Amino acid sequence: MVSAPSGAGKTTLVNAIVEQMDSVRLSVSHTTRPKRENEVDGRHYHFVSRDQFQTLAEAGAFLEHADVFGNCYGTPRGPVEDAIDRGRDVLFDVDWQGGQQLRNSALGDAVVSVFILPPSIRELRKRLERRAQDSKETIETRLKNARIEMEHWKEYDYVLVNEDLDQSCARVRSILAAARQKRDRFTQMESF
């Protein structure tokens, strides 16, 4: 599970990891936010109405869900459980609220959490402005919320400052490799 304030490079990092590692699958969340021009339904998100989202949430279809910046986001249970049953690692791109819910979900101790920090607030502002996806008002809101979100770094297993994409990818790959070697991942050891 990877969390970060908006603009820290989380999505870019997660997408790079999925491209580099065949054993890793990205959990594609449901959202009520409008689809951006470059996004593909089912690949970037499952875009649904607020009513559809509410119905799914009430049916227990999400491992976690939260309202972020006035839009709902949720991690679908079925595809995650299917991927895990097939021996795949699942990478979650969630905010800190979703992170708390995933750690408290049926996945429990199997969740390895990484919090991504920007090099500085000044750099975070530059990244948000370079994306050219948000108004100045929205950028200010994201920066204000980023300070609150960054206070949650202590709740994560690993923390890294995303200064360089290649170095950050290498660090996340190392974290995933180490997590696969944890004792509780070796379920066949009794018969060994």
Side-chain angles (χ1 to χ4, degrees):
M1 165 185 68
V2 180
S3 300
S6 182
K10 171 184 62 170
T11 302
T12 301
L13 180 61
V14 164
N15 289 336
I17 293 296
V18 170
E19 280 185 33
Q20 295 170 8
M21 301 181 73
D22 290 336
S23 65
V24 176
R25 296 292 177 258
L26 178 62
S27 173
V28 179
S29 297
H30 284 68
T31 185
T32 60
R33 83 159 168 74
K35 184 169 76 82
R36 293 179 181 143
E37 187 176 310
N38 62 335
E39 292 177 322
V40 177
D41 186 38
R43 179 171 174 228
H44 296 100
Y45 287 97
H46 298 287
F47 295 95
V48 296
S49 70
R50 192 168 280 273
D51 287 342
Q52 291 171 310
F53 190 94
Q54 189 63 35
T55 299
L56 290 166
E58 289 171 2
F62 298 127
L63 286 167
E64 63 79 27
H65 60 89
D67 189 304
V68 182
F69 299 119
N71 295 301
C72 299
Y73 295 84
T75 301
R77 179 182 304 277
V80 170
E81 290 173 347
D82 289 345
I84 291 170
D85 288 347
R86 286 178 297 171
R88 301 285 186 192
D89 290 321
V90 180
L91 199 54
F92 302 96
D93 176 343
V94 296
D95 73 337
W96 67 270
Q97 297 170 74
Q100 286 179 340
Q101 289 182 45
L102 280 174
R103 283 189 297 276
N104 294 324
S105 74
L107 300 177
D109 292 338
V111 175
V112 176
S113 59
V114 180
F115 197 87
I116 309 297
L117 291 167
S120 67
I121 291 293
R122 181 178 296 137
E123 176 61 23
L124 183 61
R125 177 184 292 281
K126 287 180 187 176
R127 289 178 182 182
L128 289 169
E129 290 170 348
R130 273 194 305 255
R131 290 196 319 194
Q133 293 177 343
D134 299 312
S135 67
K136 286 184 180 187
E137 180 181 280
T138 299
I139 289 172
E140 291 306 318
T141 299
R142 289 188 186 279
L143 288 168
K144 179 182 169 191
N145 288 328
R147 294 177 194 279
I148 296 166
E149 292 170 24
M150 288 189 290
E151 292 176 7
H152 293 275
W153 69 269
K154 296 174 193 167
E155 299 165 16
Y156 288 73
D157 299 320
Y158 299 92
V159 177
L160 65 94
V161 176
N162 186 18
E163 294 184 62
D164 177 85
L165 180 61
D166 292 334
Q167 287 179 353
S168 294
C169 284
R171 289 179 182 138
V172 172
R173 286 193 313 269
S174 295
I175 291 166
L176 289 171
R180 286 189 198 111
Q181 301 307 308
K182 288 178 76 175
R183 177 182 31 85
D184 59 350
R185 295 287 299 262
F186 285 89
T187 57
Q188 309 88 352
M189 290 306 290
E190 293 301 321
S191 64
F192 181 67

